Amino acid sequence: MQLTIPDRPSWWPADRFRSPLHSERTAAVLGLALGVTFSVCFLTGLWSHLVQHPPDWFSRPPRPAGLYRVSQGVHVATGLASIPLLFAKLWTVYPKLFTWPPVRSVATVLERIAILPLIGGGIFLLLTGLQNINLWYPWSFNFIFAHWWAAWLTIGALVVHVGAKITTTRRALRREPAAVDGEERAERADRRAFLGGVAATSGLVTLVTVGQTFAPLERLALLAPRRPSSGPQGFPVNRTAAGAGVTSSAVDPGFRLVVAGRDGTELSLSIDDLRAMSLREAVLPIACVEGWSVSKRWRGVPVADLLELAGADRRSDVRVQSLQRRRAYRASDLQAQESADPDTLLALDVEVDGELVPLDIDHGYPLRLIAPNRPGVLQTKWVTRLVVR
Ligand SMILES: Nc1nc2c(c(=O)[nH]1)N[C@H]1C(S)=C(S)[C@@H](COP(=O)(O)O)O[C@H]1N2
Ligand SMILES: [Mo]
């Protein structure tokens, strides 16, 4: 049976998109840029998830101490840079929705269907990520769960999309022959200006936010939700003592740190006991999953020394518990190799203006965990109990 394609009806809007900016070449350049930013964002996101929710086979490496700081900074920066790229790409290709005939073959229909999770997933990831770094949770679903599964869906759709488009993209990116006439030259100049504008916007978004983790650019971080040097003692706070409900328990003179051994023994220490131990200093970053980070000099008691004092192995899995009673992040786990690292500290002091002073209550007074290469969420504040497991 011969299928006849009807003529394009007069109301069909295809003719309106004459701008050369909607060309295959513009789409290909933007697609390539997005392919890079999405891939880097995906890989750093995988790393972040692995580190925060380690499966049995994974040991979190305590070194290099600043690795998470870099990988999460890159994750958030590439996500933010993708936003203008994605909008530009969608604008460039939307006239394709109006090509005639709308249905050409099963393959083109399938390819279009695969674009739905790509666009939907991409927008969802960028939007929820943006809301997360601004600590704005207007939704009722779990951010981590939704962001994680949307990432897999999107990257799967991206692989399909790249497979479907690779030939077109290659062709579109081939070096162009010299322009023959003035009209062609003008079109190319327009396209370059458009792509230049998109690149500049994307670069600008990065420039005014990356200062939240890259100290030399802090003064330019106009759009960053956090400035690394604002907050009590000159650095940010996510959960305050009031927010955690520890304003009175943290300053209780009867405060004790308890180290609970596997055999049921409990070692109980006062702040004075801890200060009488040999204290150690370390320069370590707080690297929040939201992309801001600061590096500080800390002073405190190595966790391994406390384990030894309690009669446990210096290399032990340990649960670190806070005075905080409710909500997430009131406890975190140290894997054996992390407990054994000499720089894994229960910090009493932090450097402010060149001097080591007791922690502010919002930074975890009297005692906080600070350890190399851990996401901020795992640097538990107001620590009161170590449980050897
Ligand atoms: N008990 C407790 N510790 C906590 C949190 C928390 O909510 N409760 N938040 C964590 C998060 S998300 C980060 S980024 C760091 C921030 O430490 P800071 O407030 O001293 O900068 O603390 C971590 N420690
Ligand atoms: Mo955080």
PDB file of all heavy atoms in Angstrom, residues 238 286-290 292 329 375-378, ligand 2:
ATOM      1  N   ASN A 238      25.267  25.683  58.007  1.00  0.00           N
ATOM      2  CA  ASN A 238      24.043  25.184  57.387  1.00  0.00           C
ATOM      3  C   ASN A 238      22.958  24.969  58.432  1.00  0.00           C
ATOM      4  O   ASN A 238      21.868  25.507  58.330  1.00  0.00           O
ATOM      5  CB  ASN A 238      24.302  23.872  56.643  1.00  0.00           C
ATOM      6  CG  ASN A 238      24.458  24.110  55.169  1.00  0.00           C
ATOM      7  OD1 ASN A 238      24.659  25.239  54.749  1.00  0.00           O
ATOM      8  ND2 ASN A 238      24.357  23.066  54.384  1.00  0.00           N
ATOM      9  N   ILE A 286      35.889  22.145  54.971  1.00  0.00           N
ATOM     10  CA  ILE A 286      34.487  21.722  55.035  1.00  0.00           C
ATOM     11  C   ILE A 286      33.992  21.889  53.620  1.00  0.00           C
ATOM     12  O   ILE A 286      34.086  22.977  53.059  1.00  0.00           O
ATOM     13  CB  ILE A 286      33.656  22.621  55.970  1.00  0.00           C
ATOM     14  CG1 ILE A 286      34.063  22.363  57.402  1.00  0.00           C
ATOM     15  CG2 ILE A 286      32.165  22.344  55.786  1.00  0.00           C
ATOM     16  CD1 ILE A 286      33.192  23.091  58.396  1.00  0.00           C
ATOM     17  N   ALA A 287      33.528  20.811  53.017  1.00  0.00           N
ATOM     18  CA  ALA A 287      33.082  20.869  51.627  1.00  0.00           C
ATOM     19  C   ALA A 287      31.633  20.416  51.576  1.00  0.00           C
ATOM     20  O   ALA A 287      31.339  19.229  51.566  1.00  0.00           O
ATOM     21  CB  ALA A 287      33.953  19.973  50.751  1.00  0.00           C
ATOM     22  N   CYS A 288      30.737  21.390  51.566  1.00  0.00           N
ATOM     23  CA  CYS A 288      29.318  21.059  51.589  1.00  0.00           C
ATOM     24  C   CYS A 288      28.879  20.492  50.242  1.00  0.00           C
ATOM     25  O   CYS A 288      29.385  20.886  49.194  1.00  0.00           O
ATOM     26  CB  CYS A 288      28.519  22.311  51.911  1.00  0.00           C
ATOM     27  SG  CYS A 288      26.766  21.981  52.099  1.00  0.00           S
ATOM     28  N   VAL A 289      27.915  19.595  50.266  1.00  0.00           N
ATOM     29  CA  VAL A 289      27.383  19.044  49.016  1.00  0.00           C
ATOM     30  C   VAL A 289      26.760  20.135  48.149  1.00  0.00           C
ATOM     31  O   VAL A 289      26.612  19.953  46.952  1.00  0.00           O
ATOM     32  CB  VAL A 289      26.330  17.941  49.263  1.00  0.00           C
ATOM     33  CG1 VAL A 289      26.937  16.752  49.967  1.00  0.00           C
ATOM     34  CG2 VAL A 289      25.163  18.474  50.053  1.00  0.00           C
ATOM     35  N   GLU A 290      26.415  21.257  48.764  1.00  0.00           N
ATOM     36  CA  GLU A 290      25.824  22.338  47.975  1.00  0.00           C
ATOM     37  C   GLU A 290      26.839  23.108  47.157  1.00  0.00           C
ATOM     38  O   GLU A 290      26.495  24.054  46.455  1.00  0.00           O
ATOM     39  CB  GLU A 290      25.118  23.326  48.913  1.00  0.00           C
ATOM     40  CG  GLU A 290      23.937  22.730  49.601  1.00  0.00           C
ATOM     41  CD  GLU A 290      23.763  23.339  50.978  1.00  0.00           C
ATOM     42  OE1 GLU A 290      24.235  24.452  51.207  1.00  0.00           O
ATOM     43  OE2 GLU A 290      23.157  22.671  51.817  1.00  0.00           O
ATOM     44  N   TRP A 292      29.601  24.884  48.284  1.00  0.00           N
ATOM     45  CA  TRP A 292      30.504  25.852  48.921  1.00  0.00           C
ATOM     46  C   TRP A 292      31.520  25.089  49.751  1.00  0.00           C
ATOM     47  O   TRP A 292      31.270  23.959  50.198  1.00  0.00           O
ATOM     48  CB  TRP A 292      29.759  26.892  49.766  1.00  0.00           C
ATOM     49  CG  TRP A 292      28.938  26.355  50.906  1.00  0.00           C
ATOM     50  CD1 TRP A 292      27.601  26.060  50.864  1.00  0.00           C
ATOM     51  CD2 TRP A 292      29.374  26.067  52.241  1.00  0.00           C
ATOM     52  NE1 TRP A 292      27.178  25.602  52.090  1.00  0.00           N
ATOM     53  CE2 TRP A 292      28.250  25.598  52.959  1.00  0.00           C
ATOM     54  CE3 TRP A 292      30.592  26.158  52.911  1.00  0.00           C
ATOM     55  CZ2 TRP A 292      28.309  25.212  54.299  1.00  0.00           C
ATOM     56  CZ3 TRP A 292      30.645  25.780  54.245  1.00  0.00           C
ATOM     57  CH2 TRP A 292      29.517  25.309  54.929  1.00  0.00           C
ATOM     58  N   TYR A 329      21.501  13.817  59.603  1.00  0.00           N
ATOM     59  CA  TYR A 329      22.867  14.302  59.846  1.00  0.00           C
ATOM     60  C   TYR A 329      23.192  14.497  61.319  1.00  0.00           C
ATOM     61  O   TYR A 329      24.134  15.193  61.655  1.00  0.00           O
ATOM     62  CB  TYR A 329      23.166  15.582  59.038  1.00  0.00           C
ATOM     63  CG  TYR A 329      22.731  15.466  57.607  1.00  0.00           C
ATOM     64  CD1 TYR A 329      21.998  16.449  56.976  1.00  0.00           C
ATOM     65  CD2 TYR A 329      23.035  14.300  56.903  1.00  0.00           C
ATOM     66  CE1 TYR A 329      21.569  16.292  55.662  1.00  0.00           C
ATOM     67  CE2 TYR A 329      22.618  14.138  55.596  1.00  0.00           C
ATOM     68  CZ  TYR A 329      21.868  15.131  54.980  1.00  0.00           C
ATOM     69  OH  TYR A 329      21.443  14.972  53.705  1.00  0.00           O
ATOM     70  N   PRO A 375      32.363  14.612  52.686  1.00  0.00           N
ATOM     71  CA  PRO A 375      31.384  15.655  52.400  1.00  0.00           C
ATOM     72  C   PRO A 375      30.964  16.352  53.700  1.00  0.00           C
ATOM     73  O   PRO A 375      30.949  15.713  54.766  1.00  0.00           O
ATOM     74  CB  PRO A 375      30.200  14.897  51.822  1.00  0.00           C
ATOM     75  CG  PRO A 375      30.638  13.506  51.603  1.00  0.00           C
ATOM     76  CD  PRO A 375      31.895  13.276  52.355  1.00  0.00           C
ATOM     77  N   GLY A 376      30.614  17.625  53.601  1.00  0.00           N
ATOM     78  CA  GLY A 376      30.213  18.397  54.781  1.00  0.00           C
ATOM     79  C   GLY A 376      29.163  17.710  55.645  1.00  0.00           C
ATOM     80  O   GLY A 376      29.243  17.745  56.871  1.00  0.00           O
ATOM     81  N   VAL A 377      28.209  17.061  55.004  1.00  0.00           N
ATOM     82  CA  VAL A 377      27.123  16.412  55.760  1.00  0.00           C
ATOM     83  C   VAL A 377      27.645  15.340  56.716  1.00  0.00           C
ATOM     84  O   VAL A 377      26.950  14.964  57.650  1.00  0.00           O
ATOM     85  CB  VAL A 377      26.053  15.765  54.857  1.00  0.00           C
ATOM     86  CG1 VAL A 377      25.239  16.810  54.149  1.00  0.00           C
ATOM     87  CG2 VAL A 377      26.662  14.801  53.872  1.00  0.00           C
ATOM     88  N   LEU A 378      28.833  14.840  56.459  1.00  0.00           N
ATOM     89  CA  LEU A 378      29.389  13.793  57.324  1.00  0.00           C
ATOM     90  C   LEU A 378      30.352  14.354  58.368  1.00  0.00           C
ATOM     91  O   LEU A 378      31.031  13.607  59.057  1.00  0.00           O
ATOM     92  CB  LEU A 378      30.098  12.722  56.477  1.00  0.00           C
ATOM     93  CG  LEU A 378      29.252  12.024  55.421  1.00  0.00           C
ATOM     94  CD1 LEU A 378      30.051  10.931  54.720  1.00  0.00           C
ATOM     95  CD2 LEU A 378      27.990  11.415  56.032  1.00  0.00           C
TER      96      LEU A 378
HETATM   97 MO    MO B   2      26.304  20.497  53.847  1.00  0.00          MO
END
